[in-house]
Amino acid sequence: MITGLLAKIFGTSNEREIEKIKPLIAAVNNFEPTFKELLDSDLVIKTNEFRQRISLGESLDNLIPEAFALVKEASGRAINQRHYDVQLIGGVVLHSGKIAEMKTGEGKTLTATLALYLNALAGKGAHLVTVNDYLARRDAEWMGKIYTMLGLSISCLQNSMSDEQRRLAYNSDILYATNNELGFDYLRDNMKFRLQDYVQRDLNFAIVDEVDSILIDEARTPLIISGSTEQSSDLYLQVNKVVARLHAVNDYEVHEKDRVVLLTEAGVDRVEEMLYVKNLYAVENLTLLHHVNQSLRAHALFKRDVDYVVRDQEVLIVDEFTGRILQGRRYSDGLHQALEAKEGVSIEQESQTLASITLQNFFRMYDTLAGMTGTALTEAEEFYSIYKLPVVSIPTNRPMIRDDKPDLIFLSNKGKYKAIVEDIQNRNKKGQPVLIGTIAVETSERLSSVLHEHRIEHDVLNAKNHAREAEIIEHAGKAGKVTIATNMAGRGTDIRLTKESVAAGGLYILGTERHESRRIDNQLRGRSGRQGDPGESRFYISLEDDLIRIFSGDTLKKRMEWFGMKEDEVIESPQVSRIIEKSQEKVEKQNAEMRKSVLEYDDVLNQQRMVIYQYRKDALEGDESIYGLMRDFITDLVGMLIKNSITDRFNNEAEEKALNELCSIVNCSRQEIDTVIKRPTHEELFTSNCINFFLERYALLRTKNNNDMVRSAERWLFLNTIDLAWKQHMLNLDHLKDGIGLRGWGRKNPLIEYKRESFDMFQDMMLMIKQQVVYNMFHLEITQFNESEIEARRIQELKHIQTNSIENDQIGGTLQKDQPKLGRNDLCYCGSNTKFKKCHGVAR
């Protein structure tokens, strides 16, 4: 109450932020009369003037009024749209590295041009990140007219581009691209063999469109580059036949709330009997157990036409947030193969991770990151804690007059559908368009069947007929039109009303149930009431809806029946609405914890990844890398031998081991090395002498052979050793992560244990890389070295890599009763025209 009172007196923090920006907007508008007098050619001259001032040390902040006014003028001339004041406010927020929350229809695409132009003036590039290639291409073509008039270069990154085309795109002043293309280019660059082959430059400034979708919903989806393995799919078919014969309750228990399946003791016995094994949990049966677990999850937790659809003999995942088909994506860790076995379609091969990064860690590499969306405030805390991105809610250009009505509560789905039909018929009579929102393909088809029974004409937009999306959305705002849609219609679509529809009350949003995320509900509502249009929204809730059933069980329904509520009765209950909201909050917190866990584990890998990638760059940049590596290796080797000696200090034992190791590496006799390295009395001098001996021997090797050929051999040897070691290291970390949750049973923190063991593994790997490179350089037959042959082979290998992304389901799993819950990775993304295989190894 006190907080509300203070807000009325002093204004909210958001209102105070807007007030701070308003003087800048006034300054922008003051330049408008001056810039209107300029010729088109003068706009380019102004851009060059701004660049000159920046090169002389003037800050970008100081240029905001002039730069924004120039963009506003160019926009009016190029596309006949001039920025509203609220869009100018949004531009300032974006330039400041914050999230601008702007309602549907408020012109986020045009708003972004202000900050993109200003930040591109420094010559370091500015990126606009979108969710798909179509939007990137559409917005780049549309807004590109403004940038071209201002003298800036504009490009759009598309999946089909070659490396040369990508390099040119990244060198443009402004680039429109998807999050996946940007992330995969970063990973691919760090697998290349020449610096000149890199396509990306330093990551300077980015605006993420639909920022909640990319940085929140997609945050459980690490980007993965993988290669194929030779594992057979026969075991999936064999296990599927066994699991299909199991019975719920007797053989396994399903916990929908936690997305967990538990094998009962009887279930374990039946599986062991049918698979002819004595102990399913024996070490030698871990792979078999893993297949049983994933097959059981496929049968018990994943529903056809809800979680996935089957089309053209292929299992296709449906995005729970948008209702769209996730083209090319596959569940990881064998789950997708289990679904393919369940549905009787061909089973794709598995694969192994070669490189990976989470979207959180990728986007945190930008010097300045900003975002925009219509729904961000519900996740404001997470945006700030992970990305240091404050959320600022931008006022609408015209007052919002949509009428958001209270939820209608029904006892059963039957009563709910009956009331929905009556409501639609009444809206039809007065010519009001209706958009019916559902959360699953299955629900949209069931409701469509009900409307057909009552002869109500309608269109259905879901993952099965997404090809008609543009056509359906184009007509959805016409008078009397009824459209059933999954969450596909909730984001990135603009339903325009006819005059007749406006007169009939605007677009009516009818939600058939609540989504687990409040943001998705808000996005659905946001389709109505754009730019001051009239509109109305209401959600129809049944006490049989999954969200209520899972989190409240039958208790709420039985209580309402006890109070005398009948199937055909309807109530408006703030109490039930609060229960629903609490359930949504629980799911949101659960998902936030999952994203936090993914990031915490990837932070460990990210530190190691940065070291390895810099190591590769050092190898590509010049001669001195091999000399530095030799120095590091000798220092590490001597230090390790001393640490492992009996007395844990420099002594004859450590010295003898070091000299013998050096002889083996340099391929020389002890007599030869003893004549050069005198026996010092302390570690530092001994190490220094060993380093000098190595460098002299290597200089001699270069003198005896073609120096250029030796340098080429160094580079390839270095890169090959690093890449192979890193590939194996990631596989080892996958295995470590698979079983690290069990440490909790020993009252140890799994994350701390993971950090400690992964660090030890990384140190071992780095020492091994140095040792192998140094050893191989002294034993290499330079005359037999063929650089072109090696390069051709590696290029061919890169052609067969796959770009994937994996969604981590930390609360999912299939376990024997009373076993700890181990999180497993669920979703993978394969790039264009490639099939996903396996991302993670099985714990050994």
Side-chain angles (χ1 to χ4, degrees):
M1 188 173 71
I2 295 176
T3 304
L5 181 62
L6 292 174
K8 287 182 180 179
I9 298 173
F10 300 105
T12 64
S13 59
N14 194 85
E15 290 169 343
R16 293 195 296 272
E17 186 73 24
I18 299 297
E19 288 300 317
K20 289 179 185 177
I21 297 173
K22 284 184 177 179
L24 268 177
I25 307 309
V28 172
N29 292 328
N30 287 338
F31 279 101
E32 189 168 348
T34 304
F35 287 170
K36 273 189 176 180
E37 301 298 321
L38 297 177
L39 300 174
D40 286 358
S41 58
D42 293 333
L43 301 184
V44 178
I45 294 173
K46 268 292 179 185
T47 293
N48 293 332
E49 176 194 316
F50 293 158
R51 283 176 158 165
Q52 178 68 18
R53 287 162 61 179
I54 291 169
S55 68
L56 294 175
E58 189 168 354
S59 71
L60 293 180
D61 290 352
N62 198 53
L63 281 173
I64 288 177
E66 293 174 81
F68 280 23
L70 194 68
V71 176
K72 183 178 180 180
E73 181 61 32
S75 177
R77 299 184 189 189
I79 63 172
N80 199 30
Q81 292 185 19
R82 302 180 72 83
H83 298 76
Y84 300 125
D85 282 359
V86 290
Q87 291 173 315
L88 296 175
I89 292 173
V92 174
V93 169
L94 293 174
H95 168 68
S96 304
K98 299 174 182 176
I99 293 175
E101 185 188 63
M102 302 177 69
K103 301 299 182 187
T104 302
E106 292 297 305
K108 293 189 289 292
T109 305
L110 186 61
T111 299
T113 59
L114 300 161
L116 287 171
Y117 171 78
L118 178 60
N119 283 272
L121 292 173
K124 299 177 182 178
H127 297 169
L128 192 287
V129 187
T130 66
V131 293
N132 59 55
D133 275 356
Y134 164 73
L135 289 177
R137 185 172 60 253
R138 183 202 70 179
D139 294 350
E141 291 173 357
W142 183 17
M143 298 296 112
K145 299 172 185 177
I146 301 174
Y147 305 127
T148 301
M149 179 167 277
L150 291 167
L152 295 186
S153 56
I154 165 78
S155 289
C156 173
L157 197 64
Q158 295 286 282
N159 183 271
S160 58
M161 282 183 169
S162 66
D163 274 6
E164 183 57 34
Q165 291 172 320
R166 289 173 182 272
R167 192 177 303 107
L168 291 172
Y170 279 108
N171 283 324
S172 299
D173 294 314
I174 295 172
L175 175 67
Y176 282 69
T178 66
N179 51 300
N180 282 349
E181 290 300 319
L182 292 168
F184 284 131
D185 278 340
Y186 171 76
L187 293 177
R188 282 189 290 254
D189 273 356
N190 286 284
M191 297 177 71
K192 290 177 179 172
F193 322 123
R194 289 185 297 262
L195 285 175
Q196 57 266 36
D197 290 339
Y198 281 40
V199 299
Q200 281 188 346
R201 50 178 170 164
D202 291 341
L203 301 174
N204 173 46
F205 176 82
I207 297 173
V208 181
D209 193 10
E210 303 296 0
V211 66
D212 54 329
S213 174
I214 292 175
L215 297 189
I216 298 294
D217 298 340
E218 295 283 330
R220 291 184 300 175
T221 310
L223 304 177
I224 301 287
I225 288 181
S226 62
S228 62
T229 65
E230 302 301 324
Q231 296 192 11
S232 171
S233 61
D234 292 344
L235 189 55
Y236 287 105
L237 295 171
Q238 179 186 352
V239 169
N240 180 71
K241 293 177 182 178
V242 170
V243 171
R245 294 168 62 185
L246 298 179
H247 301 289
V249 182
N250 288 335
D251 296 327
Y252 61 86
E253 299 172 357
V254 180
H255 297 263
E256 291 182 279
K257 182 178 177 180
D258 295 327
R259 297 282 290 175
V260 168
V261 184
L262 303 175
L263 278 173
T264 63
E265 294 294 339
V268 173
D269 291 341
R270 286 202 67 196
V271 170
E272 289 174 343
E273 180 184 351
M274 288 186 283
L275 288 175
Y276 304 104
V277 296
K278 291 184 178 180
N279 182 2
L280 184 61
Y281 292 89
V283 174
E284 64 271 17
N285 291 327
L286 280 177
T287 299
L288 182 61
L289 173 63
H290 173 66
H291 280 66
V292 171
N293 287 343
Q294 296 298 62
S295 183
L296 190 53
R297 296 187 68 201
H299 281 269
L301 294 178
F302 289 79
K303 298 177 182 178
R304 183 168 176 167
D305 290 339
V306 177
D307 301 294
Y308 65 92
V309 297
V310 179
R311 190 172 65 201
D312 299 329
Q313 291 296 297
E314 189 175 0
V315 173
L316 303 172
I317 299 171
V318 177
D319 189 337
E320 64 172 308
F321 297 103
T322 67
R324 288 181 167 89
I325 291 289
L326 294 174
Q327 290 293 343
R329 294 199 183 190
R330 291 174 61 84
Y331 293 108
S332 73
D333 217 18
L335 177 58
H336 209 98
Q337 283 82 0
L339 286 169
E340 288 167 335
K342 169 188 171 183
E343 298 296 342
V345 302
S346 61
I347 299 175
E348 297 292 341
Q349 197 180 22
E350 301 185 16
S351 67
Q352 179 186 341
T353 303
L354 303 178
S356 73
I357 190 171
T358 58
L359 289 175
Q360 292 112 313
N361 274 320
F362 173 73
F363 281 107
R364 291 196 301 187
M365 289 193 292
Y366 277 90
D367 293 338
T368 304
L369 182 66
M372 52 188 188
T373 183
T375 48
L377 282 177
T378 55
E379 313 293 346
E381 183 179 344
E382 185 171 352
F383 277 125
Y384 190 78
S385 64
I386 292 182
Y387 303 101
K388 296 297 180 283
L389 286 173
V391 176
V392 179
S393 183
I394 309 299
T396 56
N397 184 49
R398 295 176 182 173
M400 171 69 73
I401 60 173
R402 184 185 68 233
D403 185 9
D404 295 328
K405 294 187 175 297
D407 298 342
L408 293 181
I409 314 298
F410 296 84
L411 196 64
S412 67
N413 283 325
K414 183 178 179 181
K416 179 174 73 171
Y417 285 145
K418 181 181 177 182
I420 287 174
V421 169
E422 292 175 358
D423 194 357
I424 293 171
Q425 288 172 333
N426 291 333
R427 306 279 174 176
N428 260 176
K429 288 177 183 177
K430 65 175 186 175
Q432 186 175 17
V434 180
L435 176 64
I436 306 170
T438 66
I439 66 172
V441 174
E442 180 185 47
T443 312
S444 67
E445 293 182 339
R446 186 187 310 138
L447 185 57
S448 175
S449 177
V450 172
L451 295 190
H452 277 306
E453 289 175 7
H454 290 81
R455 295 183 173 83
I456 298 175
E457 292 187 9
H458 63 278
D459 285 323
V460 179
L461 175 58
N462 61 32
K464 289 186 176 180
N465 66 342
H466 63 94
R468 293 187 58 226
E469 179 175 0
E471 176 191 347
I472 293 173
I473 292 297
E474 182 182 355
H475 296 96
K478 293 183 177 180
K481 196 69 176 176
V482 178
T483 307
I484 301 174
T486 56
N487 300 326
M488 293 175 71
R491 187 188 290 277
T493 55
D494 195 2
I495 298 175
R496 298 184 179 274
L497 301 178
T498 61
K499 291 181 181 179
E500 296 82 4
S501 296
V502 173
L507 182 64
Y508 176 51
I509 302 296
L510 193 159
T512 58
E513 59 186 297
R514 292 284 193 168
H515 193 274
E516 289 181 347
S517 169
R518 289 171 293 172
R519 283 186 298 108
I520 308 302
D521 292 340
N522 292 337
Q523 286 161 14
L524 178 61
R525 277 200 170 110
R527 297 306 101 195
S528 176
R530 62 178 298 278
Q531 282 291 329
D533 283 342
E536 190 178 340
S537 72
R538 189 192 289 276
F539 280 84
Y540 280 65
I541 308 298
S542 161
L543 299 184
E544 294 178 345
D545 289 347
D546 286 346
L547 186 66
I548 297 177
R549 180 178 55 80
I550 291 172
F551 283 89
S552 300
D554 295 330
T555 306
L556 185 59
K557 183 179 179 182
K558 289 178 179 178
R559 186 187 307 164
M560 301 305 289
E561 287 176 328
W562 186 83
F563 281 123
M565 186 176 179
K566 304 298 182 184
E567 189 174 78
D568 56 351
E569 288 182 352
V570 58
I571 61 172
E572 292 182 11
S573 171
Q575 180 185 7
V576 175
S577 295
R578 279 196 298 270
I579 291 174
I580 295 170
E581 189 169 347
K582 290 291 183 183
S583 299
Q584 290 175 312
E585 288 177 1
K586 287 179 183 177
V587 177
E588 289 167 358
K589 287 179 181 178
Q590 200 171 51
N591 289 336
E593 285 300 314
M594 290 161 60
R595 292 188 291 267
K596 180 182 177 183
S597 176
V598 171
L599 183 60
E600 286 175 337
Y601 279 89
D602 191 65
D603 279 342
V604 178
L605 180 61
N606 193 53
Q607 295 171 10
Q608 300 175 5
R609 177 169 47 235
M610 300 299 285
V611 172
I612 282 291
Y613 286 175
Q614 187 58 50
Y615 219 43
R616 284 187 103 257
K617 277 193 175 181
D618 290 344
L620 294 171
E621 282 175 345
D623 298 349
E624 294 306 312
S625 59
I626 192 71
Y627 293 111
L629 181 141
M630 287 181 180
R631 294 187 186 97
D632 291 345
F633 170 64
I634 298 301
T635 304
D636 290 347
L637 177 65
V638 174
M640 183 186 69
L641 292 174
I642 290 170
K643 181 180 178 181
N644 293 337
S645 66
I646 296 174
T647 58
D648 200 25
R649 63 176 183 269
F650 184 71
N651 54 26
N652 289 336
E653 176 200 4
E655 181 184 305
E656 283 296 314
K657 287 181 179 178
L659 292 176
N660 289 333
E661 188 74 25
L662 296 182
C663 288
S664 171
I665 293 172
V666 181
N667 200 16
C668 68
S669 65
R670 271 301 300 270
Q671 182 179 2
E672 186 177 358
I673 203 170
D674 284 339
T675 60
V676 178
I677 299 180
K678 308 300 181 185
R679 295 183 176 274
T681 57
H682 58 88
E683 177 186 345
E684 290 77 9
L685 183 56
F686 178 75
T687 302
S688 176
N689 287 345
C690 290
I691 290 172
N692 291 335
F693 174 74
F694 252 71
L695 298 183
E696 289 172 6
R697 296 285 296 195
Y698 193 69
L700 182 62
L701 174 68
R702 282 195 165 188
T703 303
K704 289 181 177 180
N705 297 282
N706 183 307
N707 198 41
D708 290 338
M709 188 176 290
V710 172
R711 284 204 302 269
S712 295
E714 282 175 11
R715 181 168 64 90
W716 281 108
L717 200 59
F718 212 159
L719 293 176
N720 214 44
T721 305
I722 291 172
D723 291 347
L724 289 174
W726 182 240
K727 173 184 173 181
Q728 183 60 45
H729 181 66
M730 284 192 295
L731 182 61
N732 293 341
L733 289 183
D734 284 342
H735 292 167
L736 174 63
K737 195 187 302 181
D738 275 343
I740 203 71
L742 290 169
R743 306 292 176 88
W745 285 78
R747 297 187 177 181
K748 294 181 178 179
N749 186 315
L751 178 61
I752 293 175
E753 291 293 296
Y754 178 77
K755 288 180 178 180
R756 180 180 59 79
E757 292 199 24
S758 65
F759 178 73
D760 290 342
M761 292 163 64
F762 183 73
Q763 283 190 312
D764 291 342
M765 180 195 70
M766 294 300 291
L767 182 61
M768 183 271 292
I769 290 174
K770 296 170 187 176
Q771 181 175 1
Q772 284 196 2
V773 172
V774 173
Y775 181 88
N776 289 333
M777 281 309 303
F778 279 104
H779 290 76
L780 183 67
E781 289 290 341
I782 297 295
T783 56
Q784 297 180 12
F785 173 73
N786 188 326
E787 181 177 12
S788 59
E789 182 181 312
I790 296 174
E791 183 171 357
R793 176 173 55 81
R794 290 300 302 271
I795 290 174
Q796 192 64 27
E797 288 173 1
L798 284 183
K799 286 182 180 178
H800 295 289
I801 65 173
Q802 302 162 12
T803 50
N804 322 298
S805 32
I806 301 180
E807 179 172 320
N808 292 273
D809 182 2
Q810 296 294 334
I811 59 171
T814 314
L815 313 165
Q816 185 182 10
K817 199 169 184 178
D818 301 323
Q819 291 269 323
K821 295 176 184 177
L822 296 181
R824 300 203 62 85
N825 297 325
D826 269 0
L827 183 66
C828 300
Y829 172 81
C830 306
S832 72
N833 301 323
T834 59
K835 298 294 185 183
F836 175 76
K837 310 211 174 161
K838 183 176 170 61
C839 283
H840 281 256
V842 180
R844 299 289 188 260

